[in-house]
């Protein structure tokens, strides 16, 4: 390679270009990792829930698992950023610094090689000049010698010409000898410099270039390893992220999710009871009998629940004016036979409507008194009575827990103030004990207020739990009574303690109806704010609800407040709550009640 300086120049330049090419590859890989991590974080941010601490949405295990997967994916994106940072610092940055140093070193070695080559060329020129001068002087000496010999052999030449030619010969011979010596010296010097150039200087420069190229190769090898190590370092953490995703997937519990749905939407309402059998054929049996007056069997005699005013859907006149009492329809229990002188029988209708309605109401279920506070513009429902029983119980329990936590905070604050006051009393220089009295008084007042709130909410909770337990007991007893007697269920689904209290004959006059009516006639009916059309039929067996038929038009007197119920009124004044999803509501501005 002693004469391959140009080729080595090209090779070292190719090595640097390849190094920079690999550095560009690493840079693009870093950009890919950074963009990947950024897109992953944006994806996590897009699907991560944005909820305030006040949200009370049910946390299903499938949702929690998905949120955990998002967190693990966010950690995975962080590891991709770590890979990019490690590659940028350990590989790309190192390559760029080394490439700069490599260019400087290569330039220095090439300059040294060129200087050595230039010095050798200069020595060769000096040697060549001395050689040409010696050659020229030799030719001049030969010419002088030929001229001297010619004059010396010429008999006609004078002695002075011969002597002059001889002196010229001696001069040329002397100059030729001097140029010979100079040429010999220059030749010796050039040979020495040429030997030094090819055996010492150039090999040393080439060795330095070789070492530089080998160091470049080693650096590339280290960068290749660092490139892989940057990825391998984060593999354990990435594996933990993936394991976390697997654990999140295994934590999904379908039974727990189902229970959450049940707890979230459980209303606590009692399912509607069985419809009684209504026997209208007894009159026919009496007519075709053998003429004896027989009393119908008490078993199975019922009031017609479809037309009785006392049914749940006709007894909600506590919202407004009481509907006018209607004459009861022809039922088996309202028929009484009487004999004429000729022995014929005919039915006599002897039902007193007012007493019939009030007696039915008295034997029915107790109504919800909290609906009286639902007038438009009235105070907020602090006891959550607008909610179904089960949801109301949950809300009350949550409020009691929050109040207990606040009471505990106030208690801790009171204890701290008392301790601080004791310290101030023992060490007056630390503070005035009287300055803590206002704060202590305020804390005690807050504690009393919280205790009253807790007591009030616990009373409401006890009321709700008592009603739920009563409904459960009543449902259990209804199943037993239905199997044994099948005749002790009231038209609205309630049950009496004595089977003899059921309507067996014409009701007697009592004084309770007037008192009962006065209790519900103190409020004016709410104005209608629109109307609605029933899309689906609704039974309305539960307390405070209003039965409706498909296609029936009702007045809307209060909108849905988020609990899924809308307050409506019939044309005859009956009011109650209907499911919002069962109706098509049309609100009207400046509308008034009918």
């Amino acid at each position: 390679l002693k004469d391959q300086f140009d080729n080595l120049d090209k090779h070292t330049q190719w090595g640097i270009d390849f190094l920079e090419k690999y550095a560009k590859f690493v840079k693009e890989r870093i950009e890919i990792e950074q963009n990947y991590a950024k897109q992953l974080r944006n994806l996590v941010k897009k699907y991560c829930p944005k909820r305030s601490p006040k949200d009370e949405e049910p946390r299903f295990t499938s949702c929690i698992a998905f949120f955990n997967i998002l967190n693990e994916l966010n950690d995975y994106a962080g590891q991709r950023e770590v890979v990019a940072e490690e590659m940028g610092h350990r590989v790309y940055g190192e390559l760029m610094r080394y490439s700069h140093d490599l260019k400087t070193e290569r330039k220095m070695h090439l300059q040294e090689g060129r200087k050595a080559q230039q010095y050798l060329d200069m020595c060769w020129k000096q040697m060549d000049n001395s050689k040409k001068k010696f050659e020229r002087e030799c030719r001049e000496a030969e010419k002088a010698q030929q001229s001297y010999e010619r004059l010396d052999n010429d008999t006609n030449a004078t002695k002075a010409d011969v002597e002059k030619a001889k002196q010229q010969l001696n001069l040329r011979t002397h100059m030729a000898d001097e140029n010979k010596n100079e040429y010999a010296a220059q030749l010796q010097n050039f040979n020495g410099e040429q030997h030094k150039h090819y055996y010492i200087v150039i090999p040393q420069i080439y060795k330095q270039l070789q070492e530089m190229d080998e160091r470049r190769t080693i650096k590339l090898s280290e960068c290749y390893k660092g490139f892989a190590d940057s990825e391998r370092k984060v593999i354990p953490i990435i594996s933990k992220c993936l394991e976390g995703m697997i654990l999140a997937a295994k934590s999904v519990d379908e039974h727990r999710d189902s229970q959450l749905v049940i707890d979230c939407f459980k209303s606590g309402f009692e399912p509607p009871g069985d419809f009684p059998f209504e026997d209208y054929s007894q009159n026919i049996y009496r007519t075709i009998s053998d003429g004896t007056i027989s009393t119908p069997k008490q078993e199975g005699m019922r009031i017609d629940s479809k037309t009785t005013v006392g049914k749940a859907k006709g007894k909600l006149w506590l919202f407004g004016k009481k509907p006018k009492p209607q004459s009861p329809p022809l039922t088996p229990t309202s028929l009484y036979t009487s004999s004429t002188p000729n022995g014929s029988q005919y039915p006599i209708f002897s039902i007193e409507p007012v007493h019939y309605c009030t007696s039915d109401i008295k034997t029915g279920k107790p109504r919800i008194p909290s609906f009286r506070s639902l007038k438009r513009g009235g105070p907020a429902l602090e006891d959550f009575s607008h909610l179904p029983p089960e949801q109301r119980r949950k809300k009350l329990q949550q409020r009691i827990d929050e109040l207990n936590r606040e009471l505990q905070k106030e208690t801790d604050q009171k204890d701290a103030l008392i301790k601080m006051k004791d310290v101030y009393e023992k060490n007056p220089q630390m503070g005035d004990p009287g300055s803590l009295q206002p704060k202590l008084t305020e804390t005690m007042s807050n504690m009393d207020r919280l205790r009253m709130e807790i007591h009030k909410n616990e009373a409401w909770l006890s009321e709700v739990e008592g009603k739920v337990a009563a409904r459960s007991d009543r449902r259990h007893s209804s199943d037993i009574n239905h199997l044994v007697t099948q005749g002790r269920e009231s038209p609205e689904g309630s049950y009496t303690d004595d089977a003899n209290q059921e309507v067996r004959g014409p009701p007697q006059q009592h004084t309770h109806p007037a008192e009962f009516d006065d209790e519900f006639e103190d409020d004016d009916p709410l104005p209608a704010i629109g109307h609605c059309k029933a899309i689906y039929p609704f039974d309305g067996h539960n307390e405070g609800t209003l039965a409706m038929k498909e296609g029936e038009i009702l007045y809307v007197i209060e909108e849905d407040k988020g609990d899924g119920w809308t307050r409506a009124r019939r044309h005859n004044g009956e009011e109650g709550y209907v499911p919002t999803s069962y109706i098509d509501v049309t609100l009207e501005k400046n509308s008034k009640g009918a």
Side-chain angles (χ1 to χ4, degrees), residues 383-489:
D383 59 349
F384 301 110
S385 58
H386 63 286
L387 296 176
E390 185 65 24
Q391 301 301 322
R392 182 187 179 193
R393 183 188 64 78
K394 291 174 60 178
K395 290 288 185 181
L396 289 173
Q397 187 63 52
Q398 291 176 1
R399 180 186 288 175
I400 290 173
D401 294 340
E402 292 176 0
L403 291 174
N404 284 325
R405 286 193 292 269
E406 293 179 7
L407 179 60
Q408 185 62 37
K409 290 181 181 178
E410 295 293 335
T411 304
D412 295 341
Q413 186 175 0
K414 183 198 72 172
D415 295 340
L417 290 172
I418 292 174
K419 291 181 180 179
M420 190 179 297
K421 186 177 179 180
D422 294 340
V423 172
Y424 286 175
E425 290 176 352
K426 294 179 181 179
N427 302 304
Q429 67 274 11
M430 297 184 65
D432 183 15
S435 62
L436 300 177
Q437 189 61 36
K439 185 65 176 177
L440 188 59
T441 304
E442 181 184 357
T443 303
M444 296 293 290
S445 176
N446 292 336
M447 290 175 61
D448 293 338
R449 177 182 56 82
L450 289 173
R451 288 193 184 99
M452 292 178 61
E453 290 289 332
I454 291 173
H455 179 71
K456 182 170 59 175
N457 284 273
E458 285 179 347
W460 288 334
L461 182 61
S462 299
E463 177 188 355
V464 174
E465 290 178 347
K467 289 183 178 181
V468 172
R471 287 194 186 95
S472 178
D473 296 340
R474 214 164 41 237
R475 184 184 311 168
H476 179 70
S477 62
S478 67
D479 295 338
I480 297 175
N481 293 335
H482 178 73
L483 293 174
V484 176
T485 63
Q486 297 185 358
R488 296 176 59 183
E489 182 182 1

Side-chain angles (χ1 to χ4, degrees), residues 576-589:
Y577 285 87
V578 296
T580 306
S581 59
Y582 279 43
I583 58 175
D584 183 12
V585 181
T586 303
L587 299 180
E588 301 173 0
K589 295 182 179 179

Side-chain angles (χ1 to χ4, degrees), residues 165-212:
K166 185 177 179 180
Q167 291 178 356
Q168 186 70 24
L169 175 63
N170 294 332
L171 178 63
R172 291 297 179 184
T173 302
H174 178 70
M175 293 180 65
D177 292 338
E178 290 182 353
N179 287 323
K180 180 180 178 181
N181 294 332
E182 181 179 359
Y183 168 65
Q186 291 293 335
L187 180 63
Q188 185 179 1
N189 180 53
F190 172 74
N191 289 332
E193 292 296 334
Q194 180 175 263
H195 184 272
K196 181 181 178 181
H197 176 80
Y198 285 107
Y199 288 95
I200 299 176
V201 177
I202 289 298
Q204 185 177 0
I205 294 174
Y206 284 176
K207 184 178 181 181
Q208 292 174 351
L209 288 174
Q210 179 181 357
E211 292 175 354
M212 181 194 71

Side-chain angles (χ1 to χ4, degrees), residues 7 55 121 144 216 305 329 404 416 426 460 483 536 546 572:
N7 292 330
D55 287 341
D121 292 341
R216 174 190 65 82
S305 60
N404 284 325
K426 294 179 181 179
W460 288 334
L483 293 174
Y536 307 105
L546 181 65
N572 59 2

Side-chain angles (χ1 to χ4, degrees), residues 229-241:
D229 288 340
S230 301
E231 186 85 19
R232 185 172 59 183
K233 283 182 179 180
V234 301
I235 287 178
I237 303 178
I238 291 177
S239 299
K240 290 183 179 179
C241 295

Side-chain angles (χ1 to χ4, degrees), residues 31-47:
E31 291 177 353
I32 291 174
E33 291 288 347
Q34 291 175 345
N35 293 332
Y36 180 48
K38 183 178 179 180
Q39 291 177 2
L40 286 179
R41 290 194 181 276
N42 291 336
L43 182 66
V44 172
K45 184 178 179 181
K46 179 180 179 182
Y47 287 95

